[in-house]
Amino acid sequence: MQTIAPQPTADEADRALKAKHRAMWALGDYHRVAAELVGDLGEVLVDACAVRPDDRVLDVAAGSGSAAIRAALAGGRVIASDLTPELFEPGQAWAAQLGADVAWAQADAEDLPYADGEFDTVLSCLGVMFAPHHRSAADELIRVCRPGGTVGVLSWTPEGFIGQMFATMKPYAPAPPPGAQPPPLWGSEEHVGGLLGDDLEEFTARRGTLRVDRFADPAAFVDYFKANYGPTIAVYRSISGEPESVAALDRALTELAYQHLRDGVMEWEYLLVTGRRR
């Protein structure tokens, strides 16, 4: 008689998924990506949220703190929360170097351990977009923000370079579990408006671009992301036993970078959303 293995419960499946996400972001050196490539976007988001001295600020999915540190330098009382505490040590060193006072806390963006209305400003820079269940994460951003407080989210767009990079990697990655949504959807005005618009007054969404001049040629971009960026490393690990797939993904990412690299410069598009909680 064949024995059927018991299926995991929804809670067990969610814990396994979160453990996988935590491990993915611990791969490589995301702090290097933040410090060398995308760190300026933290300042863009903090400025858009108009963080003031003594504001209680929560940075959700903070990584190594590019936004949290800028919010602290603006005078906020800041908690940087993230599912992956391995990112805190470089973030703490970065904050100390810049003279920023930031508290660090491990937390799931879809189940934040904070009271309703605890913060004046709740923000996320290239972070909450990677939480797999968008509705749950959006609801938590709203819940922990006080009425009249500010919510701000900055995400890569689906049409921009990083969104296209994820689309390029998707055929080579393991299938996501049921219910998980693609991160770049947070960069769609329609999608994020559906998540946050009803709960926010003065809701605004604008696109911008980050100028990246780090890479001399497409191959340099591919090598850098294969060495440092957790999601890219994870995809390559999943096909490590398939040399033809590895070569095909190398070619696809190199071609994508070639299409976007002009005279040593790339423009990475993002969507910046802000509003005040009703």
Side-chain angles (χ1 to χ4, degrees):
M1 181 175 179
Q2 184 177 8
T3 301
I4 300 176
Q7 295 299 306
T9 66
D11 286 345
E12 290 170 340
D14 188 63
R15 285 195 294 271
L17 176 59
K18 299 300 173 58
K20 183 178 179 181
H21 273 233
R22 173 182 169 176
M24 177 182 73
W25 287 106
L27 295 172
D29 187 354
Y30 182 73
H31 175 65
R32 183 179 179 190
V33 177
E36 295 179 348
L37 300 181
V38 302
D40 288 348
L41 294 180
E43 185 173 1
V44 170
L45 178 58
V46 169
D47 287 349
C49 292
V51 173
R52 298 168 298 184
D54 290 327
D55 278 357
R56 300 163 299 167
V57 180
L58 178 65
D59 185 359
V60 178
S64 58
S66 62
I69 290 169
R70 270 64 179 189
L73 293 174
R77 292 178 286 150
V78 182
I79 297 175
S81 67
D82 200 280
L83 187 67
T84 305
E86 290 86 348
L87 300 174
F88 293 168
E89 184 175 348
Q92 290 164 343
W94 198 13
Q97 178 185 0
L98 296 174
D101 184 9
V102 177
W104 302 82
Q106 184 177 9
D108 181 350
E110 298 177 5
D111 186 20
L112 294 170
Y114 304 108
D116 296 358
E118 187 169 341
F119 298 94
D120 301 300
T121 302
V122 179
L123 50 80
S124 185
C125 184
L126 309 177
V128 74
M129 66 180 292
F130 292 100
H133 306 110
H134 295 185
R135 178 78 271 163
S136 297
D139 287 348
E140 284 294 270
L141 295 179
I142 298 296
R143 181 185 66 79
V144 300
C145 184
R146 67 167 175 82
T150 299
V151 174
V153 180
L154 190 151
S155 310
W156 301 121
T157 66
E159 302 86 359
F161 177 74
I162 298 296
Q164 289 300 300
M165 183 188 75
F166 276 96
T168 300
M169 294 192 300
K170 182 178 179 180
Y172 302 91
Q181 295 174 281
L185 279 179
W186 275 88
S188 159
E189 291 91 341
E190 180 179 2
H191 182 73
V192 78
L195 292 173
L196 299 174
D198 290 344
D199 295 302
L200 299 178
E201 298 178 327
E202 302 174 27
F203 178 86
T204 63
R206 67 173 177 85
R207 295 192 178 212
T209 57
L210 174 69
R211 185 179 190 271
V212 177
D213 58 5
R214 174 83 188 184
F215 306 113
D217 54 50
F221 161 79
V222 175
D223 290 343
Y224 185 98
F225 268 64
K226 287 173 70 173
N228 296 295
Y229 193 59
T232 304
I233 297 169
V235 171
Y236 272 97
R237 285 192 176 184
S238 73
I239 57 173
S240 60
E242 307 168 25
E244 292 183 359
S245 295
V246 170
L249 182 53
D250 281 342
R251 290 192 298 270
L253 289 175
T254 300
E255 175 60 25
L256 179 68
Y258 175 79
Q259 294 171 7
H260 287 261
L261 189 63
R262 296 290 181 270
D263 298 322
V265 175
M266 306 174 88
E267 300 284 350
W268 296 359
E269 186 181 61
Y270 61 83
L271 182 73
L272 173 61
V273 171
T274 59
R276 295 192 176 276
R277 183 184 172 188
R278 296 185 188 277

